[in-house]
Amino acid sequence: MAYDLITMGRIGVDLYPLQTGVPLPQVTSFGKFLGGSASNVAVAAARLGRRTAVITRTGDDPFGTYLHEALQGFGVDDRWVTPVPGLPTPVTFCEVFPPDDFPLYFYRQPKAPDLEIDAHELDLDAIRDARIFWITGTGLSEEPSRTATLAALAHRAKSGTTIFDLDWRPMFWNDPNAARPFYAEALKHTTVAVGNLDEVEVATGVREPQAAAQALLDAGVEVAVVKQGPKGVLAVNSKGDRAEVPPLPVNVLNGLGAGDAFGGSLCHGLLSGWDLEKIMRHANAAGAIVASRLECSSAMPRPDEIEAAIAAGAVK
């Protein structure tokens, strides 16, 4: 049976302070959670009842073992999560200063194992057959992950829905100016592109939301999703349909996992055949719910929680 969703990209351990409004030097206790955008998206979609898997790599260490156990616990297939001897599993720390300041500190040296995904090890048939295949901009930042990501996209050849999470992280690129050609190549094989204003500017050179969405469509995608922060989200497709949906009111605790919840819900809505506006409202609600919680992966909402938030018009 084909997967509803296969994601490919980052995984790691999130070590988040259990105290809010406290700088890291003064934090005394942390919670340990599965992290990494591609992995979180797979978890978010699994919470909504979808059959998901992730392609990634960990260190051959206890944190790697923990990530396998966490994925299995969330119902995400981990068969394509493999160890890289000699490289540690990445960890990420954050500081939590609600409502809008969440500095991230990535420990991915000397190199993150998820950038060691190799094209020769990919199950290309499974990638082609998945109803949705999800890749990220980080996967394009270094070899051999870059070649593996582009090879997977070329083999899939836009069968089903192929989503490019623009996922711009400048600290992952030795030369940030080198990113755009690789983004352009990935967009040729993509049916849906999703990113915030910084990310669409990296991909297209355009920051104004309407123009950026059109630039993504001109690059070959069928649906462009531009996240505008407090202004909500804009989605436009190649048929001329358009939806602009405001954010759902929420008391933010930690905004870091909201985008991954949005992504999992986006996949669920596309698989369900919903119209653009319904997809965006559902995804916004999923993101808002996670923003009201400390953790990311384990905070991903279930269908009834999302429906309740939509019905209430806010996250209670």
Side-chain angles (χ1 to χ4, degrees):
M1 182 188 300
Y3 290 89
D4 291 320
L5 169 67
I6 295 176
T7 68
M8 179 174 172
R10 288 205 310 276
I11 197 169
V13 177
D14 287 344
L15 295 172
Y16 284 1
L18 299 181
Q19 300 140 287
T20 62
V22 178
L24 276 180
Q26 280 74 58
V27 172
T28 58
S29 57
F30 296 85
K32 177 169 94 307
F33 310 102
L34 178 145
S37 62
S39 302
N40 281 338
V41 169
V43 170
R47 278 274 168 93
L48 297 174
R50 298 300 178 176
R51 183 170 185 250
T52 72
V54 60
I55 301 168
T56 190
R57 306 198 73 181
T58 70
D60 188 8
D61 55 23
F63 274 150
T65 301
Y66 162 71
L67 293 174
H68 277 280
E69 293 173 351
L71 287 170
Q72 293 166 10
F74 290 128
V76 177
D77 195 321
D78 65 339
R79 69 181 63 194
W80 297 305
V81 182
T82 57
V84 180
L87 290 179
T89 298
V91 297
T92 302
F93 291 88
C94 79
E95 293 176 300
V96 180
F97 297 106
D100 58 3
D101 187 18
F102 309 102
L104 274 171
Y105 303 90
F106 293 98
Y107 291 79
R108 292 168 59 86
Q109 300 299 326
K111 185 179 184 181
D114 53 63
L115 293 174
E116 286 292 315
I117 299 171
D118 192 286
H120 299 95
E121 299 173 352
L122 296 176
D123 187 336
L124 292 173
D125 289 341
I127 290 170
R128 183 196 59 229
D129 293 343
R131 296 177 69 190
I132 294 180
F133 180 51
W134 176 288
I135 64 104
T136 76
T138 296
L140 299 171
S141 64
E142 288 192 42
E143 295 290 2
S145 172
R146 178 186 298 148
T147 293
T149 300
L150 295 175
L153 290 172
H155 185 83
R156 185 168 168 83
K158 288 192 175 182
S159 58
T161 298
T162 302
I163 301 179
F164 182 9
D165 172 10
L166 301 177
D167 184 40
W168 170 244
R169 305 280 182 170
M171 69 285 292
F172 295 164
W173 291 80
N174 294 327
D175 178 9
N177 295 322
R180 189 167 298 153
F182 298 116
Y183 273 56
E185 180 63 26
L187 285 168
K188 294 177 185 177
H189 305 284
T190 298
T191 60
V192 180
V194 55
N196 61 31
L197 295 177
D198 291 337
E199 292 165 339
V200 298
E201 184 175 19
V202 168
T204 67
V206 181
R207 188 173 183 86
E208 194 281 321
Q210 302 282 352
Q214 186 59 52
L216 290 169
L217 294 175
D218 292 343
V221 308
E222 297 169 14
V223 181
V225 180
V226 180
K227 294 184 279 189
Q228 306 175 78
K231 292 185 178 179
V233 61
L234 168 69
V236 183
N237 67 21
S238 56
K239 299 176 184 178
D241 299 324
R242 179 181 179 279
E244 192 158 13
V245 177
L248 210 62
V250 58
N251 290 322
V252 174
L253 177 58
N254 182 359
L256 292 175
D260 300 332
F262 182 102
S265 174
L266 171 66
C267 294
H268 178 65
L270 291 168
L271 290 167
S272 300
W274 296 341
D275 62 47
L276 275 183
E277 181 164 341
K278 183 174 181 179
I279 292 172
M280 292 303 108
R281 290 193 182 282
H282 194 275
N284 264 0
I289 290 168
V290 173
S292 74
R293 299 170 176 174
L294 174 65
E295 65 274 25
C296 295
S297 53
S298 55
M300 296 301 169
R302 302 188 186 280
D304 59 326
E305 295 176 305
I306 298 175
E307 293 304 327
I310 293 172
V315 176
K316 301 296 187 181

